[in-house]
Amino acid sequence: MQLVLEKRAERSRTIALVSPLIAIGLTLITMSILFAVLGKNPIMALGVYFIAPLTDGYSLQEIAVKATPLVMIAIGLSLCYLANAWNIGAEGQFLMGAVAGSWIAVNTQGTDAGHWVLPAMLVAGAVAGALYALIPALCRVKFGASEILTSLMLVYVADLVLDYLVRGPWRDPAGFNFPTTAEFDPVATVPVLIEGGRLHLGSIIALVVVAGAFVLLDRTIKGFEIRVVGVAPRAARFGGFNANQLVLLTFAVSGALAGLAGIIEVAGPIGHLQPGISPGYGFTAIIVAFLGRLNPVGILIAGLFLALTFIGGEQAQITMKIPLDVTKVFQGILLFYVLACDSLILYRFKLVFTSRQVQSGAG
Amino acid sequence: MTPMPDPAPADPNTTHPLLQTIGLTKRYGDFLANDKIDLEVVPREIHALLGENGAGKSTLVKTIYGLVQPSAGELRWQGAPIRLSGPAEARSLGIGMVFQHFSLFDNLTVAENVALGLDGKEPLKAITARLADVARDYGLPLDPKREVWQLSVGERQRIEIVRALMQNPKFLILDEPTAVLTPQEADQLFVVLERLKAEGRAILYISHKLDEVKRLCDTATILRGGKKVATCNPKRETAASLARMMVGTEIKEVMPPAERRTTVPRLVVNDLTLAPAELHGVRLQNISFELKGGEILGIAGVAGNGQDELFAALSGERLVKEPGTIILDGLACGNRSITERRKMGAAFVPEERLGHGTAPRMRLSENALLTGHAASAMVRHGFIDAAATLRTVDLTTETFDVRKAKRDPEAASLSGGNLQKFVVGREILRKPAVLVVNQPTWGVDAGAAAIIRQALIDLASAGAAVLVTSQDLDELVEISDRIAVMFHGHLSEPLPRAEATRERLGLLMGGANLDRKEAPHAAGA
């Protein structure tokens, strides 16, 4: 008797929906073992991670706040990945968007600039993110450089640019030498949705982005081009679609969304520019994109789920003294299982009972 | 299971079969590729394995060569049951195989390629010497020091054959060896095969060319839908009776119309020269022809002589700098994209259905959109009209008898013949002014092939210009008004069908009058 993987004639739609759930289940089992090894009660730990944050209003808002950048970035990344363009540097585009938008905030600080400031900041953030993403895209199209490496390396460049600015020219003179800009003016701040709450306008923008991506991919010829180029490049060329153009387009769009997420994060929940504005949103969004099956609605759900792990991780650190890094381990294991479970979409497991009729003969 | 009664084997004094399969079965999921196949091959026999594409020939020989493990049944070698762990074991027993698709490294020499295929640790020098001996003995001229990319397809096949012969096999499998040869090259191959037979070896010869099998083979086993249909002596059968066994029904003859009116030139190519896009690709050299409405021009030639490059240039997948080299319905379009050319009324069907003509893992409606977005009402203001794409699928299904499991399945789930009917039908339903089609019936069952050829003829009768590239001479002679031959990136003057005999075409396919055809181009257009 042996277990074999058998190819399916068509992709299974059911498994495509169920496979992320299987992956989550396997991740939870693995995590339980990990908690047990760390000497924590697995049931309690999982409760703190995944149940507790859902039980109070503050945490629910916080989940939405954390999910906002994840979803926006992951939507952009999903377009790249569908088109077979591997943007790994969303983190850098996020930071560059934050920097460019902050430039306007810093320079209008204390002036009587009107309500144009915030829209201008959002536009600047999106444009900067797009331009920053176009660097690796152009390098791939013009020189054949691997966009995986170049986009990743540019993350560190962006990180250092931000670091230089908040330690140097943009440092708040009244900030006790902390590496941060001054708090942004009210006209340079993303408004909150509920008075005294944390939920802000950015979450609405993220929902609009999800809806836009859904229409783009499902209803428009451009979305079709993106999908064909990814799954069948030669057929796409036969269809008259230009793969290089789509690499540039998807990188620009995903850079713009990451940049927009960056400036919203800075002008919203944080309120000023400082190092460490992102706990790795740009990288976690890669997991969100795949966990969400590169599908806009899936990404929305996956974004909320991973936001939950951030909040749960913080609570677990406080109440159970579980290291915050366990959250990263969790996310890594999850991505691993998601990719592994994808095999089930095209293949199915089958138990084969080999008959012993065929006898091995002497050669 | 009731085994078919076998007619008397070719030679009465070789009663012990060299190789035998008993109830050999191979199952892929729910699909039975081979269903209880009994086969007996005796020494000193050329045994044909006949069948349409998808009949299970390849699976059967791959099992015999150890590449595929049977799900049930038995394999016997000289009477003893065997179980092969892989091709190396098959080779050590004395089973050799020449594949249809060569496994050669372009940048290595002939001798190096042969050395890589041998299991032993013989030094290259010894191999080179032995290779030269074997090649000379069997009249298969080969220069061991030449690199493979410089060789013709026929020469590459020789490498594979010599490589197999160097292991002194008792049993040699040849998978559609003449598919890539000119008629003259095929004749040379038959001489070698007769010689191998006379030496006492057995040959399993896979083909679907009936006249070849009748001429060469002593016994024929016919497969259909994974099952053995019959074993017979092909010399005592007619081509029609063999075809009937292969296909299961009578094949409809394609009916060319009595007379076709040709109209104005709709596709004109003027002195098209194009450097290859890929390493070792073929350079198109001064190609010129004129194709009128109502006419089918056939392009013959051994694969790899520039047909793919010509298709890419005509379709616009590769652009030509000089617009005037390609003229569609009077409009210069050498530098226009494939989408623009479709809008001008051209349609294209590439050789490879899966991955080129269609995106395999996308639905038929999406694949209708793939080529239909340019020139039909499937897209409005950037938005897809899903109902219109589905209508195209339904219409194609109805008109071309596309068999599928559901209304809108993934392209990859269709059989080769049905997908090809879809790919051709999708273009023909747009009523193109010019249709360029590469290998229209390659790997397609006889029924689908007849439907496709008829559709091409009907399209031309309706006034379109049709350019058909094919390696199947019979197909070209059946449907074309004129036939030209591609060789090393050159295109010969088209011959009217009446003058296009197999011999003349064969000579052109071998590059016979290459030197004579350089002059006329200077005067062209």
Side-chain angles (χ1 to χ4, degrees):
Chain A
M1 197 176 82
Q2 74 194 117
L3 197 60
V4 294
L5 273 179
E6 189 176 279
K7 199 160 186 176
R8 297 174 194 267
E10 282 209 4
R11 279 176 305 169
S12 163
R13 298 241 141 185
T14 325
I15 299 289
L17 294 174
V18 174
S19 105
L21 300 180
I22 301 174
I24 290 172
L26 289 172
T27 309
L28 294 184
I29 294 169
T30 311
M31 288 305 287
S32 303
I33 297 168
L34 187 65
F35 287 135
V37 170
L38 286 172
K40 314 284 178 190
N41 179 341
I43 305 289
M44 264 181 66
L46 290 178
V48 170
Y49 249 92
F50 299 108
I51 309 296
L54 299 175
T55 53
D56 71 287
Y58 170 81
S59 294
L60 282 175
Q61 276 197 50
E62 202 59 24
I63 288 170
V65 169
K66 283 262 191 293
T68 296
L70 287 177
V71 169
M72 284 177 68
I73 299 169
I75 290 281
L77 291 181
S78 71
L79 298 181
C80 287
Y81 299 163
L82 284 170
N84 226 347
W86 299 98
N87 181 2
I88 307 298
E91 180 82 358
Q93 294 139 28
F94 177 94
L95 298 177
M96 277 309 195
V99 164
S102 299
W103 175 74
I104 295 176
V106 168
N107 280 288
T108 57
Q109 194 106 48
T111 66
D112 52 3
H115 286 285
W116 61 267
V117 174
L118 181 67
M121 285 165 66
L122 298 185
V123 170
V127 170
L131 292 176
Y132 203 59
L134 279 173
I135 300 171
L138 280 168
C139 285
R140 163 165 158 185
V141 170
K142 294 283 170 211
F143 312 114
S146 162
E147 76 279 18
I148 299 176
L149 293 177
T150 50
S151 65
L152 179 63
M153 290 192 291
L154 284 170
V155 170
Y156 306 105
V157 176
D159 205 23
L160 293 172
V161 167
L162 186 152
D163 212 58
Y164 162 75
L165 288 172
V166 292
R167 286 175 202 279
W170 293 357
R171 189 171 56 192
D172 179 12
F176 306 102
N177 253 344
F178 280 108
T180 160
T181 66
E183 284 299 306
F184 291 174
D185 288 339
V187 287
T189 306
V190 176
V192 292
L193 295 177
I194 307 162
E195 198 60 44
R198 294 261 298 158
L199 197 61
H200 56 83
L201 188 66
S203 302
I204 304 291
I205 297 177
L207 287 176
V208 172
V209 166
V210 169
F214 180 82
V215 172
L216 172 78
L217 287 174
D218 206 56
R219 299 288 148 83
T220 70
I221 187 75
K222 199 45 95 181
F224 178 70
E225 288 179 31
I226 289 172
R227 289 187 291 128
V228 184
V229 160
V231 294
R234 195 154 175 230
R237 196 163 37 139
F238 179 65
F241 308 144
N242 184 332
N244 280 343
Q245 220 173 48
L246 287 170
V247 169
L248 296 175
L249 177 80
T250 54
F251 258 82
V253 170
S254 82
L257 288 173
L260 188 60
I263 186 58
I264 286 174
E265 190 67 11
V266 168
I270 299 175
H272 57 261
L273 190 65
Q274 63 175 48
I277 54 172
S278 162
Y281 286 135
F283 296 115
T284 308
I286 298 172
I287 304 173
V288 173
F290 281 106
L291 185 63
R293 305 233 54 84
L294 305 182
N295 169 301
V297 179
I299 285 170
L300 179 61
I301 298 167
L304 289 167
F305 180 74
L306 272 148
L308 176 66
T309 68
F310 276 120
I311 310 297
E314 282 171 12
Q315 295 194 350
Q317 187 184 27
I318 296 163
T319 58
M320 294 186 70
K321 307 216 163 18
I322 292 171
L324 199 56
D325 285 338
V326 169
T327 306
K328 283 186 183 156
V329 173
F330 172 87
Q331 293 176 350
I333 293 173
L334 182 61
L335 180 64
F336 173 80
Y337 279 126
V338 166
L339 297 179
C341 287
D342 269 5
S343 318
L344 295 175
I345 297 171
L346 260 181
Y347 296 87
R348 65 177 147 228
F349 279 114
K350 198 169 180 189
L351 276 177
V352 173
F353 301 90
T354 37
S355 61
R356 299 267 77 199
Q357 288 169 359
V358 188
Q359 290 295 322
S360 170
Chain B
M1 155 186 118
T2 49
M4 292 270 176
D6 277 356
D11 193 341
N13 52 27
T14 51
T15 39
H16 297 297
L18 182 63
L19 181 118
Q20 228 180 333
T21 70
I22 299 166
L24 205 70
T25 298
K26 178 63 190 178
R27 181 188 294 276
Y28 291 106
D30 301 330
F31 176 66
L32 271 172
N34 280 168
D35 188 2
K36 296 182 193 141
I37 291 182
D38 297 326
L39 175 77
E40 259 188 43
V41 184
V42 297
R44 229 175 269 281
E45 177 189 43
I46 302 183
H47 192 122
L49 195 55
L50 266 173
E52 291 203 82
N53 285 287
K57 295 170 297 186
S58 293
T59 308
L60 180 61
V61 295
K62 279 183 189 159
T63 312
I64 295 172
Y65 193 54
L67 278 167
V68 167
Q69 299 301 320
S71 312
E74 201 174 83
L75 201 58
R76 287 193 184 173
W77 178 252
Q78 295 175 331
I82 52 165
R83 191 179 222 184
L84 298 171
S85 59
E89 205 179 330
R91 282 196 293 267
S92 71
L93 286 177
I95 301 174
M97 180 156 176
V98 176
F99 289 91
Q100 191 179 3
H101 299 284
F102 310 143
S103 39
L104 298 171
F105 293 94
D106 278 351
N107 287 320
L108 297 183
T109 65
V110 172
E112 285 165 341
N113 267 290
V114 169
L116 279 171
L118 295 176
D119 304 320
K121 294 192 176 69
E122 208 177 337
L124 188 63
K125 222 174 183 173
I127 289 175
T128 310
R130 208 149 67 81
L131 191 162
D133 287 347
V134 172
R136 193 174 345 96
D137 272 6
Y138 286 95
L140 294 162
L142 264 182
D143 179 356
K145 296 208 170 57
R146 288 187 76 188
E147 290 186 0
V148 167
W149 64 271
Q150 301 170 302
L151 305 180
S152 73
V153 183
E155 288 173 304
R156 288 178 204 208
Q157 188 182 54
R158 260 178 243 158
I159 304 176
E160 294 272 2
I161 293 174
V162 168
R163 176 151 82 181
L165 289 180
M166 284 178 69
Q167 305 182 38
N168 195 21
K170 298 189 182 81
F171 183 84
L172 186 63
I173 305 165
L174 292 148
D175 190 357
E176 306 219 3
T178 56
V180 295
L181 300 181
T182 66
Q184 285 83 354
E185 284 175 320
D187 287 341
Q188 289 168 14
L189 175 68
F190 295 159
V191 174
V192 174
L193 296 185
E194 292 287 358
R195 159 110 190 257
L196 292 173
K197 175 184 156 186
E199 288 173 349
R201 302 177 209 268
I203 293 166
L204 188 60
Y205 186 89
I206 303 178
S207 183
H208 58 249
K209 293 187 181 168
L210 303 172
D211 44 347
E212 230 173 73
V213 167
K214 273 176 66 64
R215 196 174 131 196
L216 183 71
C217 301
D218 308 299
T219 316
T221 291
I222 296 157
L223 302 185
R224 187 170 73 224
K227 290 194 171 71
K228 186 175 104 170
V229 185
T231 297
C232 61
N233 181 342
K235 295 194 163 94
R236 285 189 215 142
E237 301 286 332
T238 64
S241 68
L242 287 172
R244 208 161 33 236
M245 285 188 268
M246 234 167 86
V247 181
T249 53
E250 294 286 344
I251 306 164
K252 223 173 74 187
E253 286 285 313
V254 174
M255 302 284 285
E259 196 178 312
R260 263 201 307 263
R261 297 178 292 117
T262 56
T263 56
V264 290
R266 305 200 83 165
L267 174 64
V268 179
V269 174
N270 289 318
D271 202 19
L272 169 65
T273 296
L274 191 60
E278 288 163 17
L279 187 70
H280 309 325
V282 178
R283 182 186 171 84
L284 296 178
Q285 305 266 29
N286 314 99
I287 289 179
S288 298
F289 63 86
E290 201 179 88
L291 180 55
K292 294 197 172 84
E295 189 183 28
I296 300 181
L297 174 64
I299 295 186
V302 173
N305 270 296
Q307 293 96 327
D308 293 345
E309 286 81 358
L310 180 63
F311 181 86
L314 291 179
S315 66
E317 284 179 296
R318 278 196 71 204
L319 300 181
V320 188
K321 277 208 190 73
E322 183 53 54
T325 46
I326 299 170
I327 298 173
L328 265 174
D329 258 349
L331 292 166
C333 68
N335 59 349
R336 300 291 189 88
S337 72
I338 186 166
T339 300
E340 287 173 296
R341 292 184 203 194
R342 286 195 177 111
K343 285 182 179 154
M344 293 155 84
F348 311 97
V349 178
E351 172 178 352
E352 186 65 48
R353 300 181 267 283
L354 282 174
H356 193 178
T358 65
R361 289 285 166 199
M362 286 190 143
R363 300 176 174 282
L364 288 188
S365 58
E366 293 172 302
N367 278 303
L369 182 64
L370 183 69
T371 61
H373 68 89
S376 35
M378 292 182 188
V379 180
R380 253 176 279 128
H381 309 298
F383 284 85
I384 298 164
D385 183 348
T389 63
L390 264 176
R391 272 200 301 279
T392 305
V393 174
D394 291 343
L395 195 60
T396 314
T397 304
E398 218 174 283
T399 319
F400 291 89
D401 186 30
V402 180
R403 312 269 172 86
K404 49 195 167 63
K406 51 185 180 187
R407 188 178 178 198
D408 193 14
E410 284 176 8
S413 73
L414 266 65
S415 75
N418 282 307
L419 186 60
Q420 186 70 10
K421 283 189 278 185
F422 173 79
V423 170
V424 174
R426 159 181 90 176
E427 305 303 328
I428 286 184
L429 283 178
R430 288 199 349 246
K431 299 192 171 60
V434 174
L435 177 68
V436 178
V437 46
N438 218 349
Q439 297 274 59
T441 61
W442 171 79
V444 159
D445 59 276
I451 290 178
I452 290 168
R453 287 175 194 155
Q454 189 64 57
L456 296 177
I457 289 172
D458 295 346
L459 183 69
S461 302
V466 180
L467 183 72
V468 181
T469 303
S470 177
Q471 282 157 58
D472 184 344
L473 281 186
D474 298 333
E475 170 170 84
L476 291 178
V477 169
E478 187 178 352
I479 65 174
S480 316
D481 301 298
R482 291 183 298 153
I483 301 174
V485 175
M486 266 204 113
F487 180 76
H488 283 191
H490 292 268
L491 190 71
S492 74
E493 278 307 317
L495 299 170
R497 174 166 37 183
E499 295 170 29
T501 60
R502 292 181 72 84
E503 288 63 38
R504 279 188 82 173
L505 292 174
L507 286 173
L508 288 168
M509 283 161 77
N513 73 343
L514 187 64
D515 32 294
R516 250 194 323 118
K517 72 174 294 297
E518 295 290 1
H521 291 294

